[in-house]
Amino acid sequence: MTTLTNDTAQNALVKDTKMRSPLSEFWRRLKARRLALFAGGLLGLLFVFAFAAPIFLPFTPDAFDYANTLKEPSFLHWAGTDEFGRDVLARLMFGAKLSLLIGSSSVTIGAVIGVTFGLFAGYYGGWIDAVTMRIADVLFAFPGILLAIGIIAILGPGILNVIIAVAIFSVPAFARIVRGGTLGLKESTYVEAARAAGAPDRIIMFRHILPGILGAVIVYFTMRVGTSILTAASLSFIGLGVEPSVPEWGAMLSAGREYLMAGKWHLTFFPGFAIFLTVMCFNVFGDGLRDALDPKLDETK
Amino acid sequence: MKFFKSMTLGATMALTVLPLLATQANAETLTITIDSTLETLDPHNSTANAVASISNGVMQRLIGFDKDMKMVPMLAESWTVNDNATVFTFKLRQGVTFHDGTAFDAAAAKVNIDRLADQSNNLKRNSMMRVVAKTEVVDENTFRLTLKEPFGAMLATLAHPSIVMHSPKSLAEDGGDVSKHPVGTGPFVFNEWVPGERYSVVANPNYWEAGLPKVDGVNFLTVKETATSIAMLKADEAQFVFPLPPELFETVEADEQFDILEVPGITVRTASMNMAMKPFQDPRVREAFNLAVDKNAFIQVVFAGHGVVPTSPIAANTAYYSAQEAYPFDLEKAKALMAEAGYADGFSIEAAGRNSSDETRTLQFLQQQLGQINVKVKINPMEAAARSARFFGNDVTGETATFGLALGGWSPSTGDADWHLRPVYSTEGIIPNIYNMAFYSNPKVDAFIASGLNSADDDVRAAAYAGAQKLIWEDRPVIWLAAENKLAGARADLSGVFPMPDGTFAYANAGFE
């Protein structure tokens, strides 16, 4: 009996476009943004390739072959070989895993810390707000890469420290976005209602306010992953990131640069193109997400 | 509007072209790019190859080196040595004047050697003249040097590119001034120095050697990016590029407008094994490390094939070289030796070196090769200051040094076996003192080195250094990687500028044909 009513109700919903569930509404709006969808698809493909590479590639990223160094792209080595005769494609794929790992984990750490601080600052206001936002201002005063270099200088090079450095410079941006959203939402009627019903602050913040600003956080998160990959690559490029033997895109670019004048274009082109494509995909996808998640935007046709 | 536009365009073009025309008109000026910045212009107080290189056209030594590092008379025309190598008498060239007009004579030579020998001056090259007991002006053109103890390599030491003759007047005026404004006897006179950027010299019209100098002047530009220096060579903004990175050899060689100058080097590249660490105290481990590294592949990968596999602790064109049997690449034997020593499963070590492109590549190469005998290598390319503190800091001892492998490359700028064996393999040379980064100490080697040092007799010295080389080769405190060739790129019509085996270059005879 109840099942039947639910079914009819659902049928009615499908017919009425104004009453979709938020998720399907979001999907419908995202679908309309072809470029963003394409970028997202490309990222998905990259992800699959990066993890499937060891299965279909005949080379491991560290397998050296001194008889075949600096070979241009061929049928066997699709992206050529580097100065140690290592397969560039295998290294790129391993590097993709590394870049995605560094990008997503650092931004996740930054987001968790930033969101928490932003929520508290926005919700409680007063001195908590003042202190948090002044710290954020100080962090904002440094250009991102400079801040990351400073942090690496203190912690020393290495993958873990790169993740920490990139995480730290992501914190203030998240804190600001969340604080702004919280300030707007904490005066809203449903929050007032929750408070009137006796809900504790913790519940109000995380159950009622946070979901309201999650959209903005997700959008910023996506775009930030792109920036973080770029920053991590930059740090490795200048020798402050990973150990030079690790197939990180920035490190590969830096090593290949020495052979650029010698005509070995593939050593810089492929890692450079990989960085470019990945960062751009994250940005385009992030743009699409923002539009799709923004209820104020009119429907695009 | 369109008229205005083309006017602006024309003006911009004219402004861009004008400076180019100015350099074209002055075609007799030579421009050389170097890869490091100059900290001082006083070779007495610098250990940098670049300082020695840019100085050799301005200031001269008593004894010089030819292309192959054989000693030739320079400001001294001839010399005599007593039997036990303690008294050296030099007949000086007459009619030589410094750029400030004062004459070069025995008194001038005395002032310079005294300056170097005086420990209170704190000069970086003091160590080379510390053995001097007495300097005498015998007559105007005869200079005598008496040593505290016999020193067979004294003549080669005097020929070292840093033991130059400053004008006594320039030293007297202000002790610190020669570091910014050197005055010598060479074919070129100091003109201008912009630290970190450029250094320039102009022709000396009163030079003593007929026919020189052949160019109006020489500019030295510091260009750290190798690709930029090659681009400058191709655009004729520079006519001599040193050093030429081996990976760009083919690009320069392919263009017939340019010549490659290549000389066998006397720098021996090594990876010192830290013998204060337990695994490296076992000779089988040290042998395994030497066998596990494919040196021919190393030279291919790091120096694009421009070098030779070392066959002695010192390079083949260093005086008193004695050939040893090269270690072949033998992975099976290396594995067996490791197993015999109880390290079949290997161990973990850190390999440390510079963050320059060649040393970074070397570190990766060693990581790959030693991985084959299960040694896990963590590589650590360091920037100059960090490396200096790590290897040569005052508190460095075998007990505190945590690196397993330390990259090094020593070239004896005296061209003599002593200044290679003593710094790198004697007990006296253990870091932070000089350059023995393996903490290697063998009393028999020390005794051989000392007996070579305390004689001026060729046969005695040859026998002593042959003995030392044999023992060191058997002890294997380091992995001998390569003796790389020194490469320079030059415009085809340039002559008289060439790289030296020790990693400096000479330009006194520069000329365009």
Side-chain angles (χ1 to χ4, degrees):
Chain A
M1 177 66 196
T2 24
T3 340
L4 195 76
T5 17
N6 266 355
D7 274 349
T8 28
Q10 213 123 54
N11 285 339
L13 277 179
V14 173
K15 282 189 193 105
D16 185 359
T17 45
K18 293 244 163 19
M19 286 186 70
R20 286 161 189 265
S21 81
L23 200 65
S24 65
E25 170 69 14
F26 158 72
W27 176 239
R28 193 183 54 80
R29 294 170 66 111
L30 184 64
K31 247 190 339 198
R33 286 164 180 84
R34 292 282 158 76
L35 191 63
L37 214 56
F38 178 70
L42 224 53
L43 284 175
L45 216 59
L46 180 75
F47 204 72
V48 171
F49 267 130
F51 282 89
I55 303 166
F56 70 86
L57 276 182
F59 308 99
T60 62
D62 292 322
F64 51 86
D65 176 6
Y66 303 135
N68 286 303
T69 57
L70 300 168
K71 289 276 183 281
E72 302 220 335
S74 64
F75 190 68
L76 184 61
H77 299 281
W78 290 4
T81 61
D82 70 2
E83 69 270 34
F84 296 100
R86 298 175 298 201
D87 185 58
V88 174
L89 186 64
R91 295 178 70 71
L92 279 176
M93 284 300 138
F94 189 89
K97 255 197 291 196
L98 209 61
S99 289
L100 291 171
L101 174 82
I102 293 175
S104 52
S105 59
S106 61
V107 181
T108 307
I109 297 170
V112 168
I113 300 172
V115 167
T116 315
F117 274 103
L119 266 179
F120 276 87
Y123 188 75
Y124 289 108
W127 67 268
I128 299 181
D129 185 30
V131 170
T132 317
M133 286 304 114
R134 287 309 76 75
I135 294 174
D137 285 345
V138 170
L139 290 177
F140 262 124
F142 297 97
I145 185 79
L146 202 65
L147 187 64
I149 290 174
I151 295 165
I152 291 288
I154 297 166
L155 299 176
I159 293 184
L160 194 65
N161 292 344
V162 168
I163 294 177
I164 294 172
V166 177
I168 291 177
F169 91 71
S170 300
V171 169
F174 279 108
R176 251 192 206 179
I177 289 172
V178 172
R179 173 185 174 264
T182 310
L183 282 179
L185 286 183
K186 80 169 176 188
E187 309 297 340
S188 63
T189 333
Y190 76 91
V191 172
E192 291 284 326
R195 195 174 292 133
D201 288 350
R202 182 170 42 89
I203 297 287
I204 297 175
M205 277 196 284
F206 289 97
R207 187 91 46 86
H208 298 295
I209 296 179
L210 186 57
I213 44 183
L214 214 50
V217 172
I218 290 171
V219 169
Y220 191 72
F221 184 95
T222 317
M223 293 172 122
R224 200 69 195 179
V225 171
T227 321
S228 298
I229 289 176
L230 193 61
T231 310
S234 311
L235 286 173
S236 296
F237 184 82
I238 55 176
L240 291 175
V242 300
E243 202 177 80
S245 54
V246 176
E248 205 273 343
W249 290 345
M252 288 172 72
L253 198 61
S254 171
R257 179 183 52 136
E258 283 152 28
Y259 295 91
L260 197 58
M261 274 293 271
K264 310 294 180 196
W265 58 275
H266 61 283
L267 292 182
T268 39
F269 174 78
F270 290 112
F273 189 68
I275 296 172
F276 163 75
L277 202 64
T278 312
V279 174
M280 202 177 73
C281 281
F282 270 109
N283 283 346
V284 170
F285 187 59
D287 266 345
L289 277 185
R290 186 189 54 210
D291 294 349
L293 283 168
D294 192 345
K296 285 184 218 100
L297 272 185
D298 279 333
E299 288 185 23
T300 41
K301 293 294 168 196
Chain B
M1 189 62 200
K2 201 172 179 189
F3 168 74
F4 182 71
K5 225 178 191 171
S6 49
M7 277 285 285
T8 331
L9 190 68
T12 322
M13 276 174 71
L15 281 174
T16 332
V17 172
L18 266 177
L20 283 177
L21 286 176
T23 38
Q24 296 276 295
N26 199 357
E28 291 294 286
T29 301
L30 166 67
T31 301
I32 295 177
T33 67
I34 54 176
D35 68 340
S36 51
T37 48
L38 307 168
E39 281 151 25
T40 173
L41 301 181
D42 179 12
H44 287 183
N45 196 23
S46 169
T47 51
N49 272 348
V51 174
S53 301
I54 59 115
S55 298
N56 67 41
V58 177
M59 285 163 285
Q60 298 180 301
R61 292 109 75 182
L62 293 179
I63 306 170
F65 280 127
D66 67 4
K67 266 177 166 16
D68 308 311
M69 302 224 23
K70 298 279 170 288
M71 285 186 269
V72 290
M74 205 181 236
L75 290 178
E77 277 182 319
S78 62
W79 48 83
T80 53
V81 186
N82 70 342
D83 283 344
N84 60 349
T86 49
V87 182
F88 296 76
T89 311
F90 298 92
K91 200 84 196 144
L92 303 181
R93 198 176 291 280
Q94 298 188 27
V96 176
T97 53
F98 285 105
H99 302 149
D100 58 11
T102 55
F104 170 74
D105 52 17
K110 178 177 159 60
V111 167
N112 277 284
I113 301 299
D114 285 348
R115 177 179 190 241
L116 278 160
D118 184 352
Q119 225 167 324
S120 65
N121 283 336
N122 269 326
L123 296 171
K124 289 210 174 112
R125 290 303 189 178
N126 165 256
S127 63
M128 308 195 84
M129 289 294 136
R130 215 175 276 172
V131 71
V132 171
K134 197 168 65 168
T135 52
E136 290 166 87
V137 176
V138 181
D139 62 48
E140 203 190 334
N141 294 306
T142 313
F143 170 62
R144 183 174 295 149
L145 204 58
T146 310
L147 308 186
K148 291 174 190 156
E149 54 195 50
F151 181 34
M154 192 62 200
L155 288 175
T157 304
L158 284 167
H160 188 282
S162 65
I163 312 301
V164 299
M165 296 291 137
H166 286 290
S167 151
K169 199 176 149 202
S170 73
L171 288 173
E173 273 170 5
D174 173 6
D177 199 35
V178 291
S179 67
K180 296 191 195 90
H181 187 156
V183 180
T185 55
F188 295 99
V189 182
F190 168 78
N191 177 40
E192 188 196 17
W193 179 38
V194 183
E197 206 176 300
R198 65 178 188 273
Y199 171 74
S200 72
V201 297
V202 292
N204 172 13
N206 305 316
Y207 184 58
W208 55 269
E209 207 174 335
L212 289 178
K214 289 187 261 185
V215 293
D216 295 341
V218 186
N219 299 317
F220 300 87
L221 303 178
T222 294
V223 180
K224 291 198 171 171
E225 193 72 31
T226 53
T228 312
S229 59
I230 298 301
M232 288 174 73
L233 180 71
K234 293 201 165 179
D236 203 28
E237 284 170 35
Q239 291 80 41
F240 188 81
V241 171
F242 183 82
L244 176 75
E247 59 268 20
L248 298 180
F249 182 94
E250 282 170 24
T251 12
V252 179
E253 196 194 30
D255 195 332
E256 54 185 41
Q257 280 179 285
F258 307 105
D259 277 347
I260 300 252
L261 302 163
E262 181 167 14
V263 297
I266 53 170
T267 310
V268 179
R269 301 279 180 154
T270 54
S272 299
M273 292 175 268
N274 183 347
M275 286 174 69
M277 281 183 177
K278 199 173 157 287
F280 292 123
Q281 282 162 4
D282 191 324
R284 288 170 299 194
V285 172
R286 300 198 303 271
E287 186 177 359
F289 270 52
N290 261 296
L291 294 173
V293 175
D294 183 348
K295 280 104 177 186
N296 284 310
F298 173 81
I299 292 167
Q300 274 307 325
V301 168
V302 178
F303 297 112
H306 299 278
V308 293
V309 177
T311 45
S312 155
I314 63 176
N317 42 352
T318 303
Y320 305 112
Y321 157 82
S322 126
Q324 314 293 320
E325 201 179 321
Y327 292 114
F329 171 56
D330 189 343
L331 208 51
E332 290 317 307
K333 194 174 171 203
K335 279 179 185 159
L337 281 165
M338 287 293 278
E340 215 179 288
Y343 296 107
D345 298 327
F347 47 87
S348 297
I349 48 165
E350 180 199 333
R354 287 189 182 85
N355 62 359
S356 60
S357 58
D358 56 348
E359 292 211 355
T360 306
R361 250 179 273 158
T362 305
L363 289 170
Q364 291 190 60
F365 184 85
L366 290 172
Q367 186 182 42
Q368 291 161 5
Q369 295 277 287
L370 296 173
Q372 299 179 109
I373 52 170
N374 300 322
V375 175
K376 277 168 272 316
V377 180
K378 185 184 175 297
I379 62 178
N380 184 10
M382 299 175 287
E383 46 90 26
R387 173 182 177 272
S388 177
R390 194 83 194 282
F391 291 164
F392 308 109
N394 286 327
D395 53 346
V396 173
T397 63
E399 286 72 43
T400 59
T402 50
F403 51 83
L405 291 175
L407 292 194
W410 183 271
S411 76
S413 284
T414 57
D416 190 277
D418 171 66
W419 196 236
H420 199 148
L421 296 175
R422 194 153 52 97
V424 188
Y425 301 102
S426 75
T427 309
E428 171 198 344
I430 289 177
I431 54 172
N433 209 10
I434 319 183
Y435 209 75
N436 181 346
M437 298 190 286
F439 301 97
Y440 169 64
S441 176
N442 181 341
K444 285 183 192 155
V445 170
D446 290 345
F448 272 130
I449 292 174
S451 75
L453 193 57
N454 294 342
S455 166
D457 186 295
D458 253 356
D459 296 336
V460 175
R461 298 195 70 212
Y465 292 132
Q469 287 171 62
K470 185 164 179 288
L471 282 181
I472 296 166
W473 197 251
E474 285 164 4
D475 281 343
R476 310 171 185 94
V478 305
I479 308 172
W480 289 284
L481 297 168
E484 88 274 18
N485 296 347
K486 305 297 177 186
L487 296 169
R491 205 171 82 186
D493 62 347
L494 180 69
S495 68
V497 190
F498 47 86
M500 297 287 289
D502 66 346
T504 62
F505 62 87
Y507 68 93
N509 299 327
F512 292 104
E513 277 150 21

